[in-house]
Amino acid sequence: MKTENFVFDGVAGRDGWIDLTVGIRHDMVHYPGDPGVELKQTKHLDRGDPATVSHLSLGVHTGTHVDAPVHFIGGAPGVDQFSIDALIGPATVIEILDKEVCTAQDLAAYDIHAGQRLLLRTNNSNRCWNVDTFVEDYAHLDTSAARMLAERKVQMVGIDYLSIGRGDEGLEVHRILLRAGVVIVEGLDLSRVRAGFYDIICLPLKILGGDGAPARVAVRHRGAQAARPQASHAPTGTMRAVVVIPQEKSVRLVERSVPDRPRGSDVLLRTVEVGICGTDREISSFEYGTPPPGATELVLGHEALAEVIEAGPDVHWARPGDLVVPTVRRPCKIPRCTPCRQGRQDFCITGEFSERGIVRADGFLCEYSIEDEYFLVPVPRVLEGVAVLVEPLSIAAKAADVFKTIHSRFGFDMPRLRGLVLGAGPVGLLGAMVFQAQGIETHVFSREAEDGDRAKLVRSFGANYVSVGRTPLDRLSERVGTIDVIFEAEGVPEVAFGGLDPLSANGVLILTGVPAKRGAISTDLSRWMRDIVLKNQVIFGTVNAGRSDYEDAVRRLEQFMVLFPEAVLSLLNRVAIDQAPDVLARGRGIKDVVTFAA
Ligand code: BGC
Ligand code: ZN
């Protein structure tokens, strides 16, 4: 008999997988009040039976197990309804040792973000699993921690004992998490893992409608793969780059030397594609943009998709072959800038940040570049053909996140919202897709004719198109009714503020376009101010995006590719790098993309 498949001591196996599952045995420890475990052999080889056959009776919350929403919420989904995708993928282990109650404050030090699978290692792992009786004073989350994880939209949270909460408060801890759709994994044995980045597999039994189910759970350290492929083709020599030279007022395709091998937590990237936007065109017409300190040239390109070629020695998760989208903004160095210190440089208060390809830092419109893994966002391979849209989509994702926060002030849900997008450029169209995919009744208002290509594209993903030629903005509500939320993506102040006319009570106007500098515009400000106050309206501006917005954009893009893939694909117009200077001067498609594919 071949025994290799059965040699398992719970420690990392041949491929680095570490089992986090507690063994199931007769009479094992269980949550007080839950059914106990009965495991007996009804037939046995030793007794002359032709086979050994066991009978197992246990509560579904036995040992290592998953809780389903229906555990605490009547009519909610059961454990069989979890998508396999939620249960397999990257996971982060954090350690909060020496705390019996883990609060939001304890979690505040960690980068907890949307979509994350988080495993919380406490003292439980070392003290609870080696005793036969139920440990009453186990470490657990309080409601503040649960609320934080729910608000940050983590995908999964795991803990190393039989309940994520304790006592009466524990009921509410469960409800908060389950209501937010967080997968709760309880009863993990985390004694063999340390804080870090892993891949997780968590497969609960498919108990139809089950309020819980025992699961086999294993993780593998992301940095610990046996053979980490080294760059097979570490680039040397020179590469092509597109640069702007403001002093000379020129945009050129130049040769630059390829970057050195990555150090520390840096990663060497091979650029796959770079999108071109209005900002790039402004930089190429010398109205915006600043080269890095001491340089006369700025390498363009901030909407990048890249492949990891080589990871520096201290890199946690990025592996050669991974597809990534770099974020654009880098924090300022001024200690008092709290947003930058907290990783939210998109909210920088000093203005001393840099932005790759825009201000004080070179961009990605070149074949290779170096970036710290901290500023990279992983992208699944299936999105390779469209992931160049992640950066522009992150703008709309951030707006949606802020909008959600503003709406939460009601404390109740509104019936189907009506949304208006001003402008049918790439950001406007992506914003319209965000609205549409979120179930908002979407209207796009722009210059192009109602029988034109943009109008057709808008209708192809289910939104309505209104041309300014047929219906001016101040007559829009006659045609489509009042609007609850406006996403402005054109940068024309008359149009942006003209949107206040159709805006309903409690409406929100989101500004994302940056207008060109020009003279004063006269208008009836007192009418606007009266309206804004008397209708509880909110106007906010938003620029750039945080890491969580990029991650959100990746998920939204996946959703778009299920809902309306053709519409997404039709945004893209690809050109080769030698065409870049020309495309910067004159746009061709909706979203021009410089591709480096051979
Ligand atoms: C980019 C943002 C950037 C902004 C201002 C936009 O085109 O998408 O990331 O913050 O320009 O520089
Ligand atoms: Zn700052």
Side-chain angles (χ1 to χ4, degrees):
M1 183 190 156
K2 185 169 172 271
T3 55
E4 206 184 317
N5 284 342
F6 299 94
V7 180
F8 198 83
D9 56 2
V11 189
R14 204 180 33 207
D15 294 324
W17 288 101
I18 306 170
D19 196 353
L20 308 181
T21 320
V22 172
I24 291 179
R25 59 190 164 81
H26 184 73
D27 230 3
M28 71 188 274
V29 63
H30 56 88
Y31 194 81
D34 278 10
V37 178
E38 224 184 296
L39 177 59
K40 55 175 189 265
Q41 274 114 20
T42 51
K43 292 184 186 156
H44 205 292
L45 289 170
D46 288 353
R47 292 196 293 262
D49 294 320
T52 298
V53 175
S54 301
H55 171 94
L56 173 66
S57 140
L58 77 181
V60 295
H61 300 269
T62 298
T64 307
H65 70 277
V66 168
D67 284 358
V70 73
H71 188 28
F72 279 96
I73 305 162
V79 76
D80 54 315
Q81 307 271 305
F82 283 122
S83 86
I84 297 279
D85 292 340
L87 303 169
I88 299 180
T92 309
V93 174
I94 63 172
E95 291 178 335
I96 298 194
L97 303 169
D98 305 315
K99 288 257 175 179
E100 198 174 314
V101 187
C102 165
T103 65
Q105 219 182 341
D106 299 319
L107 294 175
Y110 300 91
D111 170 33
I112 292 174
H113 53 262
Q116 200 173 31
R117 298 180 189 82
L118 197 70
L119 305 183
L120 186 62
R121 182 176 170 199
T122 72
N123 286 348
N124 298 341
S125 280
N126 287 347
R127 65 185 277 261
C128 298
W129 294 123
N130 43 16
V131 292
D132 288 332
T133 48
F134 184 77
V135 176
E136 299 282 349
D137 59 348
Y138 60 93
H140 58 278
L141 302 188
D142 77 351
T143 48
S144 73
R147 226 167 269 128
M148 171 174 176
L149 297 176
E151 275 160 16
R152 300 268 178 103
K153 303 184 215 127
V154 303
Q155 184 159 210
M156 170 189 284
V157 57
I159 194 147
D160 47 1
Y161 203 47
L162 289 167
S163 183
I164 188 101
R166 203 174 69 194
D168 288 344
E169 192 186 3
L171 307 179
E172 189 55 19
V173 167
H174 277 88
R175 282 186 213 113
I176 293 168
L177 293 168
L178 294 173
R179 239 185 260 130
V182 181
V183 182
I184 302 176
V185 189
E186 295 172 329
L188 292 166
D189 177 359
L190 299 176
S191 56
R192 285 181 234 95
V193 291
R194 301 245 74 96
F197 298 100
Y198 296 82
D199 287 310
I200 190 168
I201 298 181
C202 165
L203 292 177
L205 290 180
K206 190 168 178 175
I207 300 174
L208 299 182
D211 47 279
R216 188 77 179 249
V217 183
V219 292
R220 177 166 72 174
H221 197 264
R222 296 210 83 181
Q225 253 92 77
R228 249 190 155 198
Q230 278 302 309
S232 47
H233 46 295
T236 51
T238 59
M239 62 175 185
R240 288 168 300 169
V242 178
V243 299
V244 173
I245 312 168
Q247 284 163 9
E248 284 179 13
K249 294 213 181 301
S250 65
V251 180
R252 277 201 249 153
L253 184 59
V254 299
E255 296 270 310
R256 284 208 164 189
S257 46
V258 301
D260 289 337
R261 315 252 327 243
R263 277 182 278 231
S265 51
D266 280 348
V267 166
L268 176 63
L269 299 173
R270 183 182 65 79
T271 311
V272 177
E273 294 188 323
V274 176
I276 304 292
C277 76
T279 304
D280 299 303
R281 296 201 164 97
E282 261 181 63
I283 302 171
S284 341
S285 48
F286 323 106
E287 288 157 31
Y288 192 55
T290 313
T296 52
E297 301 179 351
L298 171 72
V299 177
L300 275 174
H302 61 277
E303 300 185 359
L305 171 67
E307 188 182 68
V308 174
I309 292 290
E310 189 180 347
D314 303 330
V315 161
H316 281 297
W317 60 266
R319 283 176 288 185
D322 284 355
L323 271 187
V324 294
V325 168
T327 60
V328 175
R329 199 176 273 191
R330 301 294 167 263
C332 73
K333 298 198 167 56
I334 300 175
R336 73 178 163 85
C337 184
T338 308
C340 283
R341 304 290 72 75
Q342 298 289 323
R344 285 308 301 252
Q345 47 273 15
D346 56 316
F347 288 116
C348 176
I349 55 174
T350 68
E352 300 295 313
F353 56 78
S354 56
E355 285 180 342
R356 293 208 60 168
I358 305 177
V359 279
R360 296 184 281 268
D362 280 334
F364 302 97
L365 202 38
C366 53
E367 288 166 271
Y368 298 94
S369 56
I370 292 271
E371 186 50 277
D372 191 303
E373 128 184 279
Y374 182 71
F375 298 113
L376 303 176
V377 177
V379 173
R381 270 284 159 188
V382 285
L383 290 183
E384 185 166 6
V386 290
V388 70
L389 293 169
V390 166
E391 195 281 339
L393 184 54
S394 72
I395 307 285
K398 175 173 169 182
D401 185 47
V402 178
F403 174 64
K404 195 171 159 212
T405 310
I406 292 169
H407 245 225
S408 69
R409 78 197 192 283
F410 296 147
F412 51 80
D413 284 334
M414 290 285 288
R416 187 161 192 220
L417 297 176
R418 315 164 71 87
L420 171 65
V421 173
L422 301 175
V427 175
L429 292 170
L430 289 168
M433 290 176 180
V434 166
F435 276 177
Q436 186 65 27
Q438 229 167 270
I440 296 176
E441 181 187 309
T442 308
H443 305 272
V444 177
F445 180 82
S446 194
R447 281 182 302 264
E448 296 80 5
E450 291 191 11
D451 55 3
D453 286 347
R454 297 265 166 137
K456 281 187 199 128
L457 169 59
V458 166
R459 286 191 287 267
S460 79
F461 61 87
N464 179 35
Y465 183 84
V466 181
S467 168
V468 63
R470 259 195 66 192
T471 312
L473 199 47
D474 56 0
R475 309 261 318 269
L476 192 66
S477 35
E478 290 166 31
R479 187 158 160 201
V480 302
T482 57
I483 296 292
D484 303 295
V485 52
I486 299 178
F487 184 78
E488 181 282 328
E490 208 160 35
V492 179
E494 289 86 344
V495 178
F497 290 100
L500 287 171
D501 261 315
L503 196 63
S504 67
N506 306 330
V508 179
L509 169 59
I510 307 168
L511 304 177
T512 74
V514 185
K517 288 183 188 142
R518 51 186 248 223
I521 301 168
S522 98
T523 183
D524 185 357
L525 275 179
S526 57
R527 185 180 63 119
W528 280 355
M529 186 163 164
R530 277 178 65 85
D531 264 13
I532 294 167
V533 172
L534 295 174
K535 293 183 178 172
N536 291 302
Q537 291 172 332
V538 176
I539 303 178
F540 73 87
T542 179
V543 68
N544 200 261
R547 185 188 180 83
S548 54
D549 303 313
Y550 279 79
E551 289 166 342
D552 187 34
V554 171
R555 277 192 300 281
R556 287 178 190 268
L557 198 54
E558 279 185 290
Q559 187 194 18
F560 294 178
M561 290 310 281
V562 173
L563 295 175
F564 32 72
E566 294 303 324
V568 177
L569 290 167
S570 70
L571 299 176
L572 303 169
N573 174 56
R574 293 190 161 87
V575 301
I577 186 163
D578 54 319
Q579 305 281 298
D582 188 57
V583 155
L584 282 160
R586 274 169 302 274
R588 296 184 192 169
I590 298 177
K591 167 59 72 187
D592 290 317
V593 173
V594 176
T595 181
F596 289 79

